[in-house]
Amino acid sequence: MQIDDDRRRARSQMTLAEKASLMSGANFWNTKALGRLGVPSIMLTDGPHGLRKQGGAADHLGLNASLPATCFPTAATLANSWDTDLLRQVGEALGAEAAAESVSVLLGPGLNIKRNPLAGRNFEYFSEDPLLSGRLAAAMIRGIQSNGVAASAKHFAVNSQETHRMSIDEIVDERALHEIYLEGFRIAVTEGGPWTVMSSYNKVNGTYANENRELLEAILRRHWGFDGLVVTDWGGNHDRVAGLVAGNALEMPSTDGVTDREIVAAVEAGALDEAVLDARVDELLALVERTTAARAGAPGVDHDRHHELAVEAARRSVVLLDNARGTLPLGPRSGRVAVIGDFAAAPRYQGAGSSLVNPTRVDSALSALQASGLDVVGYEPGFARRDVPSERRRRRAVRLAQRADVVLLFLGLDESAEAEGVDRAHLRLARNQLALTRELVSLGVPVVVVLSGGAPVELPFAGHVDAIVHGYLAGQGGGRAIADVLTGRANPGGRLAETYPLRYADVPSSATFARTEATSEHRESIYVGYRYFDKVGMPVRYPFGHGLSYTEFAYADLRAGRTSAEVTVTNTGEVAGVETVQLYAEPAGRAEGELRAPRELAGFATVALEPGESATVTIGYAEHAFDVFDPTAHDWRTAPGRYAVLVGASSRDIRLQAALEVEAPAGRAADPAVLAPDVARLPHYLRGDVEHAGDAEYEALLGRALPPSAWPTGRPLTRDDIIAQAKGRRGFGGLLHGLIELSGRVLLRLGKPLAANNTHFALDLPFRSIARMSGGTVDDDMLDGLLLMVNGQFLRGARRTATAWLAQRRRARAARTAAPTVTPPTTTVIDKD
């Protein structure tokens, strides 16, 4: 990214201190301005599925209300559309709302891989598949940036769990790193061109992501050609100088000058080349230049039009999972309809945490159904939102169902189940919901289940109810969209972007996910999602790509060329519909004995067809459709040979196949030992039986010894340790941990699940972040005093903390005395410029 001559001259006139100051925020959301050189402040704010610009006190977890904005379906929902054009439109709307509010950087989309269905932030991510994730993210990025607002692809990289996310070391082998966890980002960067990328909190193979030179310098910039700015996640800096060297320019939020002084000291001591700092400053100035237009005269926003787009996005993302008895769509002949379930009247339409949007309005399914023309004979909540028994609600729901000809039962995950900072405890729906479902099914009345939630759940009632519709987290227009699908005004076209297992124990990472302290071992390697289930032939509830329609589609005339495949699709039913044509590449007859998935998504396309209409669909192969990442070459290499090119409606609903012979370019063939390693060395990986691969086999895959998975014990805690490590310690450390845990339990009892979840964020906070995110309230001397108290030296630590606090007060009084008597203008947290 180039900067103009004015910016270059401005940088040449900066003092060392001024350059360092630009490398961290002015406050929670804004960069620093340099008025004397004409460098303005710009604003960054959350926005994966809606603008979250706080109008008062700012925070990262959504505690304080933000300005009203359109709440679109979350990424997990939009992914079910498989529609890049829809994602571009949503991105355009997000960018327009950001520009209208003078926001220069919208912090999204998120595109981490859904490694495990319990990951608490899965609702913010697209898919278990990197090709689908990358293509959808690229489309959204292009839409956002068409308004002159920067998108920020996040969280780079391997941010696979919320538990201990600010300290966890993600241990992953090189093939899985590139084929699964980086490939989506590569596509998003090369096809979408984001102006910023956000680094993740975690370590990757021993090095913090925000100071990982292999990730940020070698891969992101050199190999992928990224020319933008890398920003930390909020509070995600570890070693500021190491981050600068690696390519992480901007640290957010403000550290009240703490890390700015570290940069100056490093340059003055010769530990940091000032040319490195200059390069990072240029990246920031170029971002300011790129986004200037968004902050000058942006048009107003038509919130009514954006709401209609939110409704349409939700309609196109609803997934019809089951309709075996043909109960749907409902119509005048359906008779009396009972609406049961708390989610019908009080929809859960988004997740929690930093992506929490204050919607301009919210459509409920209940209101939309009552206005649809159906004979809705009543509504009952049926159960308490939190998983507590309510005999009165149960009885009333059963009585209503007995008066009906069909029951619409709205179930889902509550607000405490999916949130930033905490992973889910299990894959079940609430027990009170399951108990009510069993009782309603036993009445013999047709039951249609409508689900809300951002990730898979176990569905023991599948096969016993008449239909299952999944709206995911459908945004502010989701209620109307669900009603339109239930009544046939809209034909469901959503297809699952992730696999639904029969039970959590079937997930390959279930035995280890979020159960260790210091590391997260990706023992399943490349076998994530459908790649694993298809490798071992395990039954699943719903396969990757699954989704039903109110019409039928026939496939014919598949032709596999060198760069693309063609197939003719016909709507053979009686209503218009959208089909998602999925293209898979399968190494013919070889994957069983190779370290390789049996088939992988190689391309996709959506096609809208009227009844009886046909269309020829051409799908280009993904860049790495016939490649593997070769650790011996540290690069992608072609795996030559015979392939079956498959088209179908899911990874397990293959309609047609054609043969294709793939040749490797000269010098670009994969090492055969990468695909077929010594069976004695990796026996379980060749079979996909990753759950039984022991330490020695996993170390053979990694090519190195495993680091300790537990926190070290018997030593004092340091600034880089997290508060959770104080658990079980005697004295103040254990007391501090206990008080935070107790506050979470109290908040839950008070019916404040979102606030309760934020205690997990506090426990996973490194001690260093207490000072850096306090806005100057806590300085390093106070922090060191706190650590003394945590480590058992309570009186000494308390004295040091008190002394530091008094010294800070004296400095503040001296500064006020020395300041001019003219009353300065009020400084607000949000700088609109």
Side-chain angles (χ1 to χ4, degrees):
M1 178 164 43
Q2 300 296 317
I3 62 173
D4 64 14
D5 291 338
D6 289 342
R7 300 301 184 200
R8 189 173 288 104
R9 280 193 295 272
R11 195 252 291 161
S12 69
Q13 297 174 45
M14 292 178 192
T15 66
L16 174 60
E18 286 174 329
K19 286 188 281 191
S21 74
L22 291 177
M23 297 292 92
S24 63
N27 49 50
F28 208 85
W29 295 119
N30 295 80
T31 64
K32 294 191 184 81
L34 288 179
R36 76 176 187 87
L37 296 175
V39 178
S41 168
I42 62 172
M43 185 177 196
L44 307 83
T45 196
D46 288 311
H49 61 271
L51 183 69
R52 190 177 81 89
K53 179 180 178 181
Q54 290 172 296
D59 66 85
H60 186 46
L61 293 176
L63 298 178
N64 295 309
S66 53
L67 303 178
T70 307
C71 181
F72 289 95
T74 69
T77 314
L78 292 171
N80 294 330
S81 75
W82 293 58
D83 189 334
T84 55
D85 185 62
L86 176 65
L87 271 288
R88 178 190 55 78
Q89 292 178 55
V90 171
E92 288 173 353
L94 291 170
E97 295 198 15
E101 288 291 344
S102 298
V103 170
S104 293
V105 181
L106 201 62
L107 300 174
L111 64 148
N112 293 105
I113 289 297
K114 298 183 180 184
R115 174 197 176 207
N116 184 287
L118 295 189
R121 216 165 173 180
N122 276 350
F123 65 88
E124 281 192 58
Y125 304 141
F126 293 109
S127 177
E128 66 189 30
D129 183 82
L131 175 62
L132 182 57
S133 295
R135 290 268 175 87
L136 296 176
M140 179 174 277
I141 289 165
R142 291 192 297 269
I144 293 169
Q145 294 184 169
S146 68
N147 292 276
V149 173
S152 190
K154 65 182 187 181
H155 308 84
F156 190 67
V158 203
N159 179 197
S160 298
Q161 67 180 59
E162 293 300 285
T163 302
H164 308 324
R165 62 179 178 162
M166 300 185 83
S167 60
I168 200 73
D169 188 0
E170 303 277 3
I171 307 299
V172 57
D173 68 276
E174 193 170 0
R175 268 194 69 185
L177 176 65
H178 286 267
E179 293 184 18
I180 304 297
Y181 298 101
L182 296 185
E183 179 64 356
F185 280 99
R186 185 194 67 81
I187 295 168
V189 168
T190 58
E191 297 183 10
W195 298 345
T196 73
V197 165
M198 181 190 288
S199 59
S200 56
Y201 289 123
N202 52 279
K203 300 174 188 174
V204 179
N205 291 329
T207 303
Y208 281 99
N210 79 298
E211 55 196 56
N212 192 311
R213 295 187 68 175
E214 176 66 17
L215 285 176
L216 300 183
E217 184 180 278
I219 295 172
L220 180 62
R221 293 193 185 278
R222 207 158 55 236
H223 288 295
W224 299 350
F226 176 69
D227 69 347
L229 174 138
V230 177
V231 58
T232 67
D233 203 340
W234 265 233
N237 171 60
H238 170 244
D239 183 315
R240 189 67 193 103
V241 174
L244 278 181
V245 172
N248 209 142
L250 179 61
E251 177 187 11
M252 290 298 288
S254 169
T255 65
D256 198 44
V258 172
T259 54
D260 301 347
R261 292 189 288 273
E262 291 175 1
I263 295 170
V264 171
V267 172
E268 291 176 342
L272 174 65
D273 187 342
E274 191 167 355
V276 172
L277 175 59
D278 289 344
R280 302 290 89 81
V281 171
D282 285 351
E283 290 157 9
L284 177 66
L285 295 179
L287 178 64
V288 172
E289 184 69 21
R290 269 180 163 173
T291 59
T292 297
R295 305 168 64 252
V301 173
D302 184 344
H303 284 292
D304 290 336
R305 185 173 66 84
H306 283 189
H307 179 72
E308 291 306 312
L309 176 59
V311 174
E312 179 60 17
R315 282 194 196 104
R316 289 158 66 177
S317 303
V318 173
V319 184
L320 178 59
L321 295 175
D322 269 332
N323 194 24
R325 298 173 179 84
T327 304
L328 295 178
L330 301 178
R333 296 183 179 180
S334 300
R336 296 162 298 179
V337 178
V339 180
I340 296 173
D342 186 52
F343 296 94
R348 179 160 176 261
Y349 53 92
Q350 64 175 326
S354 62
S355 67
L356 195 67
V357 178
N358 180 15
T360 58
R361 70 194 80 170
V362 177
D363 294 342
S364 78
L366 177 61
S367 297
L369 288 166
Q370 289 170 333
S372 70
L374 292 178
D375 182 10
V376 177
V377 295
Y379 160 74
E380 288 293 341
F383 52 82
R385 192 77 153 212
R386 301 286 297 150
D387 191 7
V388 293
S390 176
E391 182 63 19
R392 181 182 63 84
R393 290 191 176 196
R394 184 197 64 79
R395 285 198 307 267
R396 290 175 63 93
V398 170
R399 285 199 296 268
L400 175 61
Q402 289 170 333
R403 296 167 43 209
D405 297 304
V406 62
V407 172
L408 293 179
L409 177 59
F410 286 76
L411 308 175
L413 297 171
D414 70 28
E415 286 74 9
S416 66
E418 300 174 289
E420 180 176 358
V422 58
D423 293 312
R424 289 163 62 190
H426 53 75
L427 204 62
R428 301 185 306 274
L429 286 169
R431 287 166 293 190
N432 59 359
Q433 295 183 40
L434 294 174
L436 177 62
T437 304
R438 287 192 297 269
E439 186 161 3
L440 294 177
V441 167
S442 72
L443 298 177
V445 180
V447 175
V448 174
V449 170
V450 182
L451 294 170
S452 299
V457 290
E458 293 173 353
L459 299 171
F461 48 76
H464 302 285
V465 297
D466 293 75
I468 304 176
V469 174
H470 206 329
Y472 268 68
L473 298 178
Q476 65 182 52
R480 179 144 58 98
I482 287 290
D484 287 347
V485 167
L486 292 172
T487 59
R489 286 187 173 87
N491 189 352
R495 303 293 183 263
L496 290 177
E498 57 195 329
T499 306
Y500 271 55
L502 287 170
R503 60 194 65 82
Y504 181 60
D506 294 341
V507 176
S509 57
S510 60
T512 58
F513 177 77
R515 295 191 181 188
T516 48
E517 297 171 333
T519 64
S520 174
E521 297 174 355
H522 293 236
R523 290 181 177 246
E524 69 280 2
S525 184
I526 61 172
Y527 300 121
V528 174
Y530 71 91
R531 287 168 167 81
Y532 167 75
F533 294 113
D534 290 350
K535 178 76 172 183
V536 300
M538 181 175 289
V540 297
R541 179 68 69 192
Y542 303 112
F544 175 78
H546 170 77
L548 303 177
S549 173
Y550 295 148
T551 190
E552 298 290 336
F553 297 94
Y555 290 63
D557 303 324
L558 173 64
R559 295 169 295 280
R562 296 176 64 86
T563 60
S564 64
E566 285 185 355
V567 65
T568 299
V569 182
T570 303
N571 182 346
T572 60
E574 298 180 354
V575 295
V578 175
E579 176 71 331
T580 297
V581 184
Q582 301 164 42
L583 182 71
Y584 295 88
E586 181 176 286
R590 304 196 311 278
E592 186 174 342
E594 293 182 346
L595 183 55
R596 201 171 187 188
R599 67 182 60 91
E600 295 180 301
L601 188 68
F604 59 91
T606 58
V607 56
L609 297 171
E610 294 295 322
E613 184 181 8
S614 297
T616 298
V617 180
T618 301
I619 305 175
Y621 304 132
E623 181 176 350
H624 295 308
F626 308 106
D627 298 344
V628 296
F629 193 88
D630 189 336
T632 61
H634 304 293
D635 200 357
W636 289 91
R637 292 289 186 265
T638 299
R642 191 173 181 82
Y643 284 80
V645 174
L646 317 172
V647 291
S650 80
S651 72
R652 293 192 174 181
D653 184 5
I654 301 302
R655 307 292 179 84
L656 297 172
Q657 68 178 50
L660 179 68
E661 194 70 31
V662 174
E663 297 179 357
R668 300 292 295 179
D671 184 342
V674 172
L675 290 168
D678 180 8
V679 67
R681 191 169 68 93
L682 298 172
H684 294 92
Y685 284 100
L686 290 174
R687 297 195 301 269
D689 184 19
V690 295
E691 294 174 279
H692 296 100
D695 288 356
E697 190 173 349
Y698 186 44
E699 288 180 335
L701 179 72
L702 288 171
R704 61 185 183 278
L706 282 168
S709 61
W711 291 321
T713 57
R715 64 159 177 79
L717 297 181
T718 69
R719 292 182 180 186
D720 288 338
D721 291 317
I722 63 175
I723 296 173
Q725 290 177 248
K727 183 177 182 178
R729 291 185 173 239
R730 300 178 62 183
F732 181 74
L735 177 63
L736 175 65
H737 184 280
L739 287 173
I740 295 174
E741 277 199 329
L742 177 62
S743 67
R745 291 195 294 272
V746 170
L747 288 167
L748 273 178
R749 283 187 170 270
L750 293 175
K752 298 181 177 181
L754 299 185
N757 279 340
N758 288 334
T759 60
H760 294 274
F761 175 84
L763 289 171
D764 283 341
L765 198 68
F767 284 98
R768 66 174 182 274
S769 296
I770 296 174
R772 292 178 182 177
M773 295 186 72
S774 71
T777 303
V778 177
D779 61 23
D780 283 348
D781 285 338
M782 292 183 205
L783 177 61
D784 289 339
L786 174 64
L787 281 166
L788 285 171
M789 297 165 67
V790 166
N791 288 318
Q793 301 181 58
F794 184 83
L795 292 178
R796 182 183 170 195
R799 284 196 298 269
R800 181 163 184 170
T801 302
T803 301
W805 180 77
L806 290 171
Q808 185 187 75
R809 293 290 299 272
R810 286 194 294 270
R811 290 193 298 271
R813 282 197 299 268
R816 287 196 298 271
T817 302
T821 56
V822 178
T823 302
T826 301
T827 301
T828 60
V829 174
I830 302 301
D831 179 7
K832 286 191 173 183
D833 285 330

